[in-house]
Amino acid sequence: MKNIKNTALIKTYYLNCKNNQKATQQNDTIRFDSFTLWPHCTFMSAMCYSFWKAQLLQEEGLKSPRKLCILVDEDILYQKRKPENESTGIQQLNWFLNNIEPPMYGMIVSVYSHKVIKTIEDKWSAQTIWPLKKEWQWEGGGGYFTLQDIEDGASARKKGTKMTHKTADIINNIYEHSVLPVVKIDYRMSEQKLFKTLKYSNLNFAYHGGTYYSAGMIGCPTVGLYWPYSQIVPTRWYDNDKEEQGNVELTSWNLGISNTEGKVLQYDFNKVYQKPQTYIKHVSMISELLSYLKCQSNFVVNGKVYEIS
């Protein structure tokens, strides 16, 4: 990044490669500002796609590590989003880079402090689910549920959606309805504690943010809360080079012009693929929500069955 002014190298990570290896010339640059570093959805939008793309190119013939440069607003790198949070910006980045699954021929990641234009916000989209390392993948069986409810910093729209939703009273009094203990999680927790708690959760419940997205990095089954209604939509994807068609749960994954709900970018620790996601579904009916809280039914997402009791 010698040609960019107002940058300073903080640290370089050599993921699944040696520190004397040279990177391929196909490189990526990520810019994190105060709008995009902290939320899991915006963080994953940039980070997960860079790793997915590196793996794809390496599967297609690139045999060298791919280079990734991460530019972070210098004013937030060593700051916390809120005083009560456990992690600073650099601590969050460091944890993810040390625990994310690297592509097959490696990734060289350099983190820089950077002077950003404060009024410009990078755009994002929920298209890619890239996993944490295998040791972080969901196991369940902990004998508890997890809940990430709407937090103080959430938008007025999200808060209003909960206030008017018919399941809000159930969630507000979740301890009275659940047959299992409920562990509340939120952005204040360190990444280590958050994902360790999710790893053994029987089932996660999340508002439209936070672990609604990041639970996908470890395959933790998740109930999406406060959606107006559950919706099944027709879509298509490829399976072993053959195009398949079917109906899937509509979520916030891979929406937008020219996107297809059935082609979420993912990785199975062997190769990249584009298929429906299989960890989250929206639950809008009280009866269905109670059936999970009381462990009366399995949790099924696009054909994948989770036993939650």
Side-chain angles (χ1 to χ4, degrees):
M1 307 303 292
K2 294 180 180 179
N3 295 327
I4 298 183
K5 296 181 179 180
N6 302 316
T7 62
L9 176 64
I10 303 301
K11 184 176 180 179
T12 296
Y13 300 77
Y14 296 87
L15 309 181
N16 197 31
C17 60
K18 298 179 181 179
N19 59 12
N20 61 355
Q21 285 185 263
K22 292 184 178 181
T24 178
Q25 292 183 352
Q26 288 77 22
N27 303 325
D28 274 345
T29 299
I30 292 174
R31 171 189 176 274
F32 282 128
D33 51 39
S34 60
F35 300 102
T36 54
L37 177 63
W38 311 109
H40 287 180
C41 52
T42 53
F43 182 85
M44 288 176 64
S45 172
M47 186 75 77
C48 288
Y49 181 67
S50 289
F51 277 71
W52 189 91
K53 186 176 181 180
Q55 174 67 28
L56 172 62
L57 292 172
Q58 289 172 358
E59 288 180 29
E60 292 179 338
L62 295 178
K63 303 298 183 183
S64 300
R66 187 170 169 83
K67 177 69 175 179
L68 172 63
C69 296
I70 301 177
L71 308 180
V72 186
D73 183 350
E74 61 184 8
D75 292 332
I76 65 172
L77 192 59
Y78 297 103
Q79 301 299 316
K80 297 179 179 180
R81 176 65 178 85
K82 297 178 181 178
E84 60 268 29
N85 289 11
E86 291 191 32
S87 298
T88 63
I90 190 62
Q91 289 172 332
Q92 174 183 317
L93 271 173
N94 185 67
W95 190 90
F96 275 107
L97 289 171
N98 281 314
N99 290 281
I100 198 168
E101 177 70 12
M104 61 191 298
Y105 293 121
M107 181 86 90
I108 300 174
V109 183
S110 293
V111 177
Y112 296 82
S113 65
H114 178 61
K115 189 175 182 64
V116 305
I117 300 173
K118 301 295 186 182
T119 55
I120 301 297
E121 174 185 351
D122 264 326
K123 306 311 295 179
W124 64 277
S125 60
Q127 296 179 320
T128 313
I129 303 172
W130 183 267
L132 297 181
K133 292 178 179 178
K134 289 182 179 180
E135 57 262 34
W136 284 105
Q137 295 306 300
W138 179 78
E139 293 184 12
Y144 59 85
F145 295 133
T146 46
L147 168 66
Q148 185 175 16
D149 207 353
I150 291 179
E151 301 184 37
D152 292 339
S155 67
R157 178 180 59 82
K158 288 182 179 180
K159 291 179 180 178
T161 298
K162 176 183 177 178
M163 289 177 61
T164 58
H165 202 277
K166 54 190 172 185
T167 63
D169 185 64
I170 302 297
I171 298 300
N172 288 338
N173 298 282
I174 194 170
Y175 300 110
E176 299 177 12
H177 299 283
S178 175
V179 298
L180 295 179
V182 178
V183 178
K184 290 189 175 182
I185 57 177
D186 55 41
Y187 274 122
R188 295 175 298 177
M189 303 168 69
S190 68
E191 289 68 35
Q192 179 86 8
K193 185 177 181 180
L194 175 67
F195 282 101
K196 185 175 182 180
T197 305
L198 279 177
K199 178 178 179 178
Y200 298 105
S201 172
N202 285 42
L203 184 64
N204 182 43
F205 298 79
Y207 79 103
H208 195 209
T211 57
Y212 176 103
Y213 298 96
S214 56
M217 299 183 78
I218 64 170
C220 176
T222 298
V223 170
L225 297 172
Y226 313 131
W227 208 255
Y229 50 85
S230 299
Q231 186 176 358
I232 305 295
V233 296
T235 188
R236 64 188 188 279
W237 63 90
Y238 281 96
D239 192 358
N240 295 323
D241 298 325
K242 180 182 178 182
E243 187 173 50
E244 302 285 348
Q245 296 186 20
N247 297 321
V248 300
E249 303 277 350
L250 179 67
T251 66
S252 288
W253 283 107
N254 219 40
L255 300 181
I257 297 175
S258 299
N259 289 336
T260 302
E261 295 88 345
K263 291 185 177 181
V264 180
L265 281 60
Q266 298 171 79
Y267 179 59
D268 63 4
F269 294 96
N270 181 42
K271 63 182 183 302
V272 297
Y273 64 96
Q274 293 173 289
K275 290 183 182 180
Q277 61 79 25
T278 56
Y279 81 95
I280 188 168
K281 67 179 295 186
H282 295 155
V283 174
S284 59
M285 301 297 294
I286 292 176
S287 58
E288 184 180 6
L289 179 61
L290 288 174
S291 74
Y292 299 137
L293 289 172
K294 297 182 182 300
C295 295
Q296 294 174 340
S297 60
N298 291 332
F299 187 65
V300 183
V301 185
N302 295 330
K304 186 167 183 176
V305 180
Y306 298 89
E307 295 183 5
I308 61 176
S309 60

